[in-house]
């Protein structure tokens, strides 16, 4: 079965990762690619290692009027730039929005695939979670669902690699000289991912996420997200582990590990690692989550969601091992 797909925003890191995964997907056929800065060039000019079957596909300027007939459109555009255009895409064309414009927007499903796969199947509009929410919510979901922690006053300390900030242009502040040997917090108290994290915590727990604190940090590595989450609860470490093992027993991409997870474990994959440490006497539970910000945090998660909405095996095109070292 050949499913015709397109990628808008193929020049960026997320779009490029989607290309890498779709190029070897057993059912997806890439027939359309669009990008602003790269329009007019062939895929092989932008991505020299692309398979021969895609080498001569010309990257087009994003123009809704010139959009061919597709089964699935992957949109990897900066937050704030896709809502108006995607609203005019024909209803019969399925869309997975890797960007942030449609998370918890009416008419769009929230694509937290490892937690809510049944809510994604047969949908036509899916909003991919952000990279920080993917790591955070996968770690918190078992605890919130089993009522092992309080939903309020959760503190999330997050670290991300440089590619999480996007490819950027000539004025990018995330080049080698600015980022190497440097560590910087950003988005304090008002990060764009806070609303979706809070809303999902409330949906999972049935309680209030009041007092949520989320502080991301940029670290000098290319890929990876590590979140360390501080919660209130009297559960033991083993209770948290057991809850996660039960919750993710039949989920193909989540690994529950006794050891604190490392970002290298997920590099180049759609895997999500979760672990826990708890001290009931201190009313403290620490949840940890790791993803590749371009894999589970973006394109891998998007392909997983596309598999679900197309009725394919969830793991199709995604069962490769992580890159090591």
């Amino acid at each position: 079965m050949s499913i015709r797909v397109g990628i808008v925003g193929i020049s960026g890191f997320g779009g490029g990762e989607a290309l890498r995964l779709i190029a070897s997907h057993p059912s997806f056929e890439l027939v359309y690619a669009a990008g602003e800065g790269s329009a007019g060039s062939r895929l092989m000019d932008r991505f020299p290692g692309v398979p021969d079957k895609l080498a001569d596909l010309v990257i087009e300027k994003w123009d809704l009027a010139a959009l061919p007939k597709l089964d699935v459109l992957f949109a990897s555009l900066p937050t704030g730039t896709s809502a108006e255009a995607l609203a005019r895409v024909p209803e019969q064309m399925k869309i997975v929005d890797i960007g942030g414009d449609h998370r918890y927007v009416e008419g769009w499903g929230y694509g937290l695939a490892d937690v809510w796969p049944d809510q994604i199947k047969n949908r036509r509009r899916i909003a991919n979670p952000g990279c920080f929410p993917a790591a955070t919510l996968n770690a918190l979901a078992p605890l919130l669902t089993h009522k092992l922690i309080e939903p309020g006053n959760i503190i999330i300390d997050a670290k991300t690699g440089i590619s999480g900030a996007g490819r950027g242009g000539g004025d990018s502040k995330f080049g080698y000289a600015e980022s190497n040997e440097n560590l910087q917090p950003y988005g304090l108290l008002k990060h764009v991912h806070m609303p979706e994290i809070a809303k999902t915590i409330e949906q999972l727990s049935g309680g209030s996420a009041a007092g949520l604190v989320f502080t991301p940090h940029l670290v000098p590595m290319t890929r990876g997200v590590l979140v360390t989450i501080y919660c209130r609860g009297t559960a033991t470490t083993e209770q948290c582990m057991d809850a996660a093992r039960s919750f993710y027993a039949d989920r193909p991409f989540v690994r529950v590990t006794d050891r604190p997870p490392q970002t290298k474990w997920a590099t180049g994959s759609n895997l999500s690692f979760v672990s826990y440490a708890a001290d009931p006497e201190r009313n403290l539970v620490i949840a940890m989550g790791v993803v590749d910000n371009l894999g589970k945090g973006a394109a891998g998660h998007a392909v997983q969601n596309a598999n679900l909405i197309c009725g394919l095996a969830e793991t199709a095109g995604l069962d490769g091992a992580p890159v090591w070292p």
Side-chain angles (χ1 to χ4, degrees):
M1 178 175 60
S2 179
I3 296 173
R4 291 167 56 88
V5 305
I7 302 172
V8 176
I10 199 164
S11 304
F13 290 140
E17 186 73 353
L19 166 63
R20 184 180 74 85
L21 295 172
I22 291 168
S24 59
H25 195 283
S27 298
F28 291 162
E29 178 188 4
L30 184 67
V31 298
Y32 174 77
E36 288 297 318
S38 57
S41 59
R42 297 173 302 168
L43 280 183
M44 68 177 298
D45 299 326
R46 192 71 173 180
F47 303 96
V50 74
D52 288 342
K53 64 181 180 179
L54 297 175
D56 292 325
L57 184 65
V58 175
I59 301 173
E60 302 182 26
K61 188 174 179 62
W62 169 227
D63 179 3
L64 190 60
L67 192 63
K69 184 177 180 180
L70 302 172
D71 298 303
V72 181
L73 178 66
F74 292 89
S76 184
L77 298 169
T79 298
T81 64
S82 66
E84 189 275 333
L86 294 185
R88 296 184 285 118
V89 171
E91 178 62 28
Q92 65 270 23
M93 189 181 298
K94 298 179 175 71
I95 304 175
V96 179
D97 187 3
I98 301 174
D101 283 10
H102 294 101
R103 295 163 188 159
Y104 282 101
V105 170
E106 185 177 355
W108 289 72
Y110 186 64
L112 192 61
D114 299 310
V115 176
W116 290 322
D118 291 337
Q119 296 183 25
I120 298 166
K121 295 175 181 177
N122 302 316
R123 296 293 295 259
R124 291 190 174 274
R125 298 290 187 269
I126 293 294
N128 231 47
C131 56
F132 288 124
T136 298
L137 297 170
N138 275 3
L140 288 178
L143 308 184
L144 292 166
T145 302
H146 286 84
K147 310 296 183 185
L148 296 180
I149 59 171
E150 300 172 14
N153 299 307
I154 292 173
I155 299 173
I156 305 164
D157 182 290
K159 309 292 193 300
T160 182
I162 305 301
S163 62
R167 189 164 192 169
D171 60 349
S172 174
K173 299 179 177 62
F174 305 112
Y176 179 83
E178 293 89 349
S179 303
N180 186 49
E181 299 292 341
N182 195 17
L183 177 63
Q184 52 180 304
Y186 65 99
L188 304 180
L189 303 178
K190 57 181 181 180
H191 193 277
V192 67
H193 288 321
M194 280 195 67
E196 66 178 286
I197 293 174
K199 288 179 181 178
T200 308
I201 287 172
E202 292 177 350
Q203 285 203 13
L204 289 166
S205 68
S208 170
L212 175 69
V213 178
F214 170 63
T215 305
H217 303 76
L218 201 65
V219 299
M221 62 184 184
T222 301
R223 303 166 72 130
V225 167
L226 167 66
V227 294
T228 306
I229 312 162
Y230 303 93
C231 318
R232 292 301 175 193
T234 57
T236 65
T237 298
E238 197 54 40
Q239 285 175 320
C240 295
M241 292 288 191
D242 287 345
R245 292 188 185 106
S246 172
F247 191 87
Y248 291 120
D250 62 347
R251 307 305 296 129
F253 294 114
V254 182
R255 304 284 189 269
V256 182
T257 172
D258 293 328
R259 294 183 288 159
Q262 304 172 26
T263 57
K264 275 284 189 183
W265 293 359
T267 300
S269 79
N270 191 49
L271 294 177
S272 173
F273 291 88
V274 300
S275 190
Y276 306 92
D279 186 344
E281 293 184 3
R282 297 167 61 188
N283 194 34
L284 174 65
V285 173
I286 300 174
M288 292 158 280
V290 157
V291 301
D292 181 332
N293 58 285
L294 295 179
K296 178 66 72 180
H301 211 156
V303 171
Q304 183 181 359
N305 279 318
N307 287 338
L308 285 167
I309 64 178
C310 290
L312 302 174
E314 195 170 348
T315 56
L318 294 171
D319 49 8
V323 177
W324 182 266

